[in-house]
Amino acid sequence: MFDIAERCVTDNPSTRELVLRAMEGASIHPVLRVLSGPHLGASLVLAQEGRAYTIGRSRACDLALEHDGDVSREHLEVRVDEGQVAIRDLRTRHGTRLAGARLEPDRAARWAYDSIVRIGGTEMDLVPPATYRLEQLVGAVDASAIEQPVDDASDEPSAREPESSQLVPASPPVAVEHSPAPADTRPAALDSPTAKRDAGSAAHKAIIVGAGTFVLLAVGVAIALLLSFR
């Protein structure tokens, strides 16, 4: 995964710029993420060593899960000490499960990065700083790839009609020994692409002029009617 991300960043300057911006804003602290439940996608950066972060249904909590009815008002305490993350169930009714095992109330337990914590209907995991940065990097690369425009095949030079100056002269006619076909009474100039384009342009201009005349006439009639009612 690291090789793929590095290659994408190296080969694409615009992607490299996006990744640098993502890396500048990335956290260097463990991040708690909500994986399921009413608050899916919520997160909490554990930025302060020794601080007790609270998780619960109360809005006063550091991570408020107010829409999960099975979570207590103050359900869980999370603390970071010397790079280790510990959690403690605050004597809740429904309890706290760490890696499937129910925790003893009011007793701290170490939260490893590969373990899932469940409280009520909410599941959470813990993301180390390196993983969090990598996910932001890959996300920036994916966003850059999606935003790259796709060239329209109709704009390719091979699909364009050749200009009149690039037309290749037609080969001289070859004599055929049979009765000649009825002569074409149309002028030869009309058979060329340039003549057809000029004729179409003239017809388009005539339509525009006719439409403009009709609009002016309609406006004049409307004005005359308005004046007659005064």
Side-chain angles (χ1 to χ4, degrees):
M1 182 180 294
F2 283 96
D3 294 340
I4 295 175
E6 183 179 359
R7 186 164 59 252
C8 292
V9 173
T10 304
D11 296 343
N12 193 331
S14 61
T15 301
R16 182 168 60 250
E17 182 180 353
L18 287 173
V19 170
L20 289 175
R21 289 204 301 267
M23 294 290 286
E24 289 175 358
S27 172
I28 60 174
H29 308 285
V31 180
L32 186 158
R33 300 183 308 182
V34 177
L35 302 178
S36 65
H39 299 273
L40 173 66
S43 62
L44 174 64
V45 179
L46 307 176
Q48 298 181 18
E49 288 261 346
R51 176 186 171 184
Y53 294 89
T54 56
I55 302 173
R57 204 174 67 252
S58 173
R59 294 185 180 181
C61 293
D62 296 291
L63 179 59
L65 305 175
E66 54 185 318
H67 299 300
D68 192 335
D70 293 329
V71 173
S72 300
R73 291 183 58 81
E74 291 187 357
H75 196 114
L76 188 67
E77 180 184 275
V78 183
R79 188 187 298 267
V80 182
D81 289 315
E82 297 181 356
Q84 301 294 324
V85 180
I87 59 176
R88 182 169 62 93
D89 180 85
L90 301 177
R91 298 182 178 275
T92 60
R93 177 181 179 182
H94 296 287
T96 300
R97 292 188 175 273
L98 173 61
R102 182 159 180 161
L103 298 181
E104 294 184 17
D106 206 23
R107 183 173 180 178
R110 181 175 176 271
W111 188 0
Y113 285 118
D114 58 349
S115 299
I116 302 295
V117 168
R118 182 180 182 89
I119 58 174
T122 300
E123 288 185 335
M124 300 170 290
D125 72 345
L126 193 64
V127 185
T131 302
Y132 187 71
R133 287 192 174 196
L134 178 61
E135 289 179 353
Q136 286 196 339
L137 184 149
V138 174
V141 171
D142 292 342
S144 176
I146 293 174
E147 292 175 359
Q148 289 181 356
V150 179
D151 294 335
D152 189 357
S154 62
D155 292 336
E156 296 180 359
S158 59
R160 296 178 181 175
E161 183 181 354
E163 299 294 338
S164 59
S165 59
Q166 299 177 351
L167 293 177
V168 180
S171 302
V174 179
V176 181
E177 297 180 357
H178 57 75
S179 300
D184 191 356
T185 57
R186 295 179 302 168
L190 292 178
D191 292 334
S192 65
T194 303
K196 292 180 180 179
R197 185 166 56 248
D198 293 342
S201 177
H204 182 66
K205 291 180 180 179
I207 293 173
I208 294 176
V209 171
T213 303
F214 177 78
V215 171
L216 291 176
L217 180 61
V219 171
V221 172
I223 294 175
L225 290 174
L226 289 175
L227 293 177
S228 65
F229 284 109
R230 289 188 174 183

